Amino acid sequence: MSAASPQGFHCWTTHLGLADEGKDDFSMVISDRPCTSSVVFTKSLFAGPCVTLSKTSIEQTSPRGVLVLAKNANVATGAEGLRNASEIRASVARTVGIEPDALIMASTGVIGVQYPMDTIRAGLDGLGQGTPLDAHAVARAIMTTDTRAKVSERAVGTSTIVGIAKGVGMIEPDMATMLSFVFTDADVPQDTLNRIFRDVVDRTYNSVSIDTDTSTSDTAAVFANGAAGPVPDTEFEQALEEVCTDLVKMIASDGEGATKLIVTTVSGASSERQARVVGKSIINSPLVKTMIHGEDPNWGRVLMAIGKCSNEVDIEPDRIRVAFADIDVYPSSSLDQHDTVEVVREHLATATVEINVDLGIGTDTWRVFGCDLTDEYIRINADYTT
């Protein structure tokens, strides 16, 4: 399946020797013309050299593209890791004829391992010419334990928005997401793009969790080169959020070992912050996640997850309403107990499980995304480096 390609973006993908033979582990996308851009990064105290370099770049200029190495995070690698990342970025920039600061850089995979620089240098020597953006090829090249490439697109007037993402584990973003990059030929002013993207990131990437663990390498960015002309801000924001929401659902449903996507909507909250706190408490609960995996209609676990939000002192159990999709389970259902159990069980057997909570306090709402917890998640992460 091919995705529409915004005008003026080219890509490179190749195998450098980080991943198994036959899989691309290097990718790069660059705009042929200057861009406005917005980038957000992990807040991890162990953020890697690629994050450090990229933060410096966005202080100097508005980047025109991104390069990614997969299967090695280059995190906790000290001064040598920073030198190696700088060398790779500078080498690639020379090859394509741009300044290093015009590229942000990301790396994903095992922590604490230096790049095999001799192998990488040899691979970059044959980088060659880029091709018009092939989003699926780039999405495949940034995968680690993902089982499928993650790509979404939307049209806005005469412009196109294409987004890619990777990530299935070590995921609860903090101001960014796993890795996600969006490319558009819409003309969007820098300040407008920055405001819109950060709002969208908050509603999408910062509202997904696989396992409560924030990656050391999280980076999300959008590049707008203006080749297709301007579009209305509201239409652009809506399309961008749709793209990012698609990617978030793909990430959550492809969580390591996952079999189900969980979408939790908390309404009636005193603030969006409160709604998100409660929503995250539900989707991050191992007991809720295993209940859903086992298709066991033990809805009391959702009440437990709400109840442990003890800092939210205005939450009162008597006001709360809980439903699976449109099936009321608390405080009571219109069905008798046996029928409710069976109807909930049927919903839990579907690929997407919806949990809806009304706190009965205010008017604010937030939606969060997650997945079930399976024995396969344990197996994947128990054997990750061996």
Side-chain angles (χ1 to χ4, degrees):
M1 182 178 65
S2 62
S5 182
Q7 301 174 54
F9 286 94
H10 282 73
C11 72
W12 290 254
T13 61
T14 193
H15 175 75
L16 293 182
L18 302 175
D20 294 338
E21 192 64 40
K23 182 195 178 300
D24 287 343
D25 50 27
F26 170 90
S27 60
M28 180 168 61
V29 179
I30 299 175
S31 169
D32 299 340
R33 54 195 286 172
C35 289
T36 56
S37 61
S38 182
V39 192
V40 289
F41 302 100
T42 181
K43 288 185 175 179
S44 171
L45 298 177
F46 262 104
C50 292
V51 172
T52 300
L53 283 177
S54 298
K55 284 183 174 180
T56 300
S57 290
I58 65 174
E59 291 172 358
Q60 305 298 324
T61 188
S62 181
R64 287 169 49 185
V66 58
L67 72 92
V68 183
L69 281 75
K71 301 300 285 187
N72 184 318
N74 190 32
V75 168
T77 51
E80 181 180 352
L82 181 59
R83 286 193 301 271
N84 289 339
S86 298
E87 178 186 333
I88 292 168
R89 188 175 69 157
S91 173
V92 170
R94 282 194 304 271
T95 298
V96 298
I98 62 175
E99 292 297 318
D101 277 336
L103 281 172
I104 66 167
M105 184 176 183
S107 201
T108 176
V110 178
I111 292 171
V113 177
Q114 296 288 350
Y115 285 140
M117 290 302 293
D118 288 344
T119 301
I120 290 174
R121 290 182 188 113
L124 291 178
D125 281 344
L127 192 58
Q129 298 296 313
T131 62
L133 176 59
D134 180 343
H136 286 276
V138 176
R140 287 191 295 270
I142 67 175
M143 290 167 53
T144 50
T145 55
D146 304 64
T147 66
R148 51 191 177 271
K150 298 167 179 65
V151 179
S152 179
E153 64 178 273
R154 290 293 189 281
V156 185
T158 59
S159 69
T160 300
I161 302 174
V162 172
I164 65 170
K166 66 81 57 181
V168 289
M170 197 188 289
I171 293 174
E172 182 167 16
D174 190 358
M175 286 308 293
T177 183
M178 306 54 67
L179 295 181
S180 183
F181 307 107
V182 180
F183 310 98
T184 180
D185 48 14
D187 183 0
V188 187
Q190 180 64 54
D191 289 347
T192 302
L193 185 64
N194 198 49
R195 172 184 58 78
I196 288 174
F197 188 57
R198 289 177 181 276
D199 286 347
V200 168
V201 163
D202 216 28
R203 295 193 295 269
T204 56
Y205 299 138
N206 277 346
S207 296
V208 64
S209 180
I210 301 299
D211 48 21
T212 80
D213 288 332
T214 297
S215 170
T216 57
S217 304
D218 289 349
T219 303
V222 59
F223 304 89
N225 68 15
V231 296
D233 293 354
T234 54
E235 293 181 21
F236 178 80
E237 182 168 3
Q238 178 180 340
L240 180 63
E241 183 162 353
E242 289 174 2
V243 166
C244 295
T245 299
D246 286 349
L247 294 172
V248 160
K249 289 180 177 179
M250 293 176 197
I251 288 165
S253 61
D254 194 29
E256 288 175 334
T259 63
K260 300 177 188 297
L261 169 67
I262 305 171
V263 181
T264 297
T265 302
V266 178
S267 60
S270 60
S271 65
E272 291 180 342
R273 180 206 59 79
Q274 181 182 66
R276 179 158 50 181
V277 165
V278 173
K280 284 286 190 75
S281 182
I282 294 168
I283 65 164
N284 280 334
S285 164
L287 291 179
V288 172
K289 292 160 79 72
T290 51
M291 170 198 77
I292 290 172
H293 175 64
E295 299 173 8
D296 176 25
N298 186 2
W299 50 262
R301 291 182 173 182
V302 176
L303 302 187
M304 173 279 300
I306 300 170
K308 68 182 182 180
C309 300
S310 55
N311 288 334
E312 304 303 316
V313 295
D314 54 346
I315 292 179
E316 297 180 13
D318 289 347
R319 294 182 179 180
I320 293 172
R321 300 291 182 269
V322 178
F324 285 81
D326 57 356
I327 310 156
D328 294 328
V329 296
Y330 179 83
S332 63
S333 169
S334 58
L335 303 173
D336 65 35
Q337 184 175 6
H338 175 75
D339 288 342
T340 300
V341 166
E342 291 309 310
V343 175
V344 171
R345 194 191 310 276
E346 290 175 5
H347 180 63
L348 294 178
T350 62
T352 300
V353 173
E354 299 178 20
I355 302 174
N356 296 312
V357 174
D358 187 335
L359 298 178
I361 302 171
T363 60
D364 285 308
T365 298
W366 204 265
R367 181 174 57 167
V368 295
F369 307 87
C371 64
D372 57 342
L373 178 61
T374 71
D375 55 354
E376 182 65 12
Y377 176 88
I378 297 170
R379 189 75 276 135
I380 289 170
N381 286 285
D383 299 337
Y384 192 79
T385 63
T386 55

